[in-house]
Amino acid sequence: MKNNDFLKFFSLFALSVFILFILMIVMSIVTNISFETFYDSLFSKEIQFAIKLSLETASIATILGTLLGVPAAYALARYNFKGKDIVDSIVELPVILPPLITGFALLVFFGNTVFGKFITENIIEILFTYKGTIIAQFFVATPFIIRTSKSVFECIDEKYELIAQSLGSKKYESFLDIVIPMAKNGIIAGAILAWARSIGEFGATMMLAGATKMKTETLPIAVFLNISLGDLEKALAVSLIFLLVATLVLVIIRSVLKIGENNDRL
């Protein structure tokens, strides 16, 4: 067998094994719930609320993360400053820390520190509210946008910006008109990862926003609440609903992006 043939075989084999593993996990959920339970769960007020809240909070957290993360990624990619390696490592902390510890740290910050208490008492109520859900999701998801965008910015030659500036563009204009369009696909990829991370967030959300039914109940928390009540079949049904909702949204996003890319080529 030629080296190229072996690489092709091994690559497809590895992909097949992983896909099979995912499908086995999904089937373990599907085969353990009845259609009646799934239908009742899907159209119950509780799960409808959880679906709406999950989509809403994850989308807001991703938008906020993109607005903050893209400029932050540009700073890390383009500028050299003292302590840059330390800053770069700190950005990774929300990814490395266990979600439960992240949520506990956020709870302590907003509940016990002077600055955090000032925010919650005078600017925005965060503790045990849906806004706390957004903050928790934003905190754990933004590093994905920063890391992905930084990698893309580093691959874009700075000479394009310098040429634009030599022709009269200001620094921010070259960033918006030259760099952002060139980095668009990478930024969107990071945003998709951040959204997926946000909608699946549980530990940090539960610690900061709580697990209150019909108030801070996202889909992962709905699964937890039903497991706590011993209703395992409904918990499995909600898990399947979560998988379907997340997959559907990701497919729609990818389809829209593909249409946009085709239009750009035309």
Side-chain angles (χ1 to χ4, degrees):
M1 186 181 290
K2 295 180 180 179
N3 290 334
N4 289 338
D5 292 335
F6 174 76
L7 179 60
K8 179 180 179 181
F9 170 79
F10 184 75
S11 300
L12 292 175
F13 175 76
L15 177 62
S16 300
V17 169
F18 189 63
I19 293 298
L20 180 61
F21 182 60
I22 293 174
L23 292 177
M24 288 172 63
I25 299 298
V26 173
M27 288 306 298
S28 69
I29 296 176
V30 175
T31 56
N32 281 284
I33 58 175
S34 64
F35 176 77
E36 183 180 357
T37 301
F38 175 77
Y39 181 86
D40 290 342
S41 299
L42 180 60
F43 291 99
S44 68
K45 289 184 178 180
E46 176 190 352
I47 303 308
Q48 290 286 322
F49 175 88
I51 293 173
K52 180 182 177 183
L53 184 64
S54 294
L55 293 175
E56 182 179 301
T57 55
S59 298
I60 294 173
T62 302
I63 291 171
L64 293 175
T66 302
L67 291 175
L68 183 71
V70 171
Y74 184 81
L76 288 171
R78 284 287 188 263
Y79 305 125
N80 292 315
F81 50 86
K82 194 173 182 179
K84 181 178 178 179
D85 290 339
I86 297 175
V87 172
D88 205 11
S89 299
I90 292 174
V91 168
E92 302 283 356
L93 279 179
V95 178
I96 298 171
L97 287 174
L100 199 63
I101 295 177
T102 299
F104 183 62
L106 288 170
L107 180 63
V108 171
F109 172 74
F110 286 110
N112 289 332
T113 65
V114 175
F115 184 63
K117 289 175 71 174
F118 175 81
I119 293 174
T120 56
E121 292 174 0
N122 299 281
I123 300 176
I124 182 173
E125 187 179 359
I126 293 174
L127 299 180
F128 307 113
T129 68
Y130 84 96
K131 296 169 187 174
T133 300
I134 295 172
I135 295 296
Q137 292 174 347
F138 164 81
F139 186 77
V140 300
T142 302
F144 290 94
I145 298 173
I146 295 176
R147 186 57 55 215
T148 306
S149 300
K150 176 177 177 286
S151 298
V152 176
F153 289 144
E154 288 175 339
C155 293
I156 298 174
D157 198 324
E158 195 173 358
K159 70 181 181 182
Y160 294 111
E161 296 175 76
L162 297 175
I163 291 172
Q165 291 167 31
S166 69
L167 295 174
S169 294
K170 296 180 180 179
K171 183 69 176 178
Y172 75 90
E173 291 176 333
S174 64
F175 172 71
L176 295 174
D177 297 337
I178 306 297
V179 178
I180 292 297
M182 294 179 71
K184 178 181 68 174
N185 290 339
I187 293 172
I188 292 173
I192 291 174
L193 286 173
W195 185 88
R197 180 68 181 84
S198 295
I199 200 170
E201 170 53 38
F202 169 70
T205 299
M206 186 178 70
M207 291 297 294
L208 185 62
T212 307
K213 185 175 289 190
M214 299 292 288
K215 183 179 179 183
T216 60
E217 186 180 12
T218 58
L219 282 170
I221 287 179
V223 174
F224 169 76
L225 290 175
N226 282 288
I227 291 175
S228 300
L229 294 172
D231 194 346
L232 298 184
E233 190 173 4
K234 187 174 181 181
L236 286 169
V238 178
S239 299
L240 181 58
I241 291 169
F242 173 80
L243 286 173
L244 293 175
V245 169
T247 302
L248 179 62
V249 172
L250 290 175
V251 168
I252 292 173
I253 291 173
R254 291 183 183 275
S255 299
V256 171
L257 291 178
K258 192 170 290 186
I259 293 173
E261 287 178 3
N262 292 335
N263 289 336
D264 290 341
R265 290 171 186 170
L266 294 175

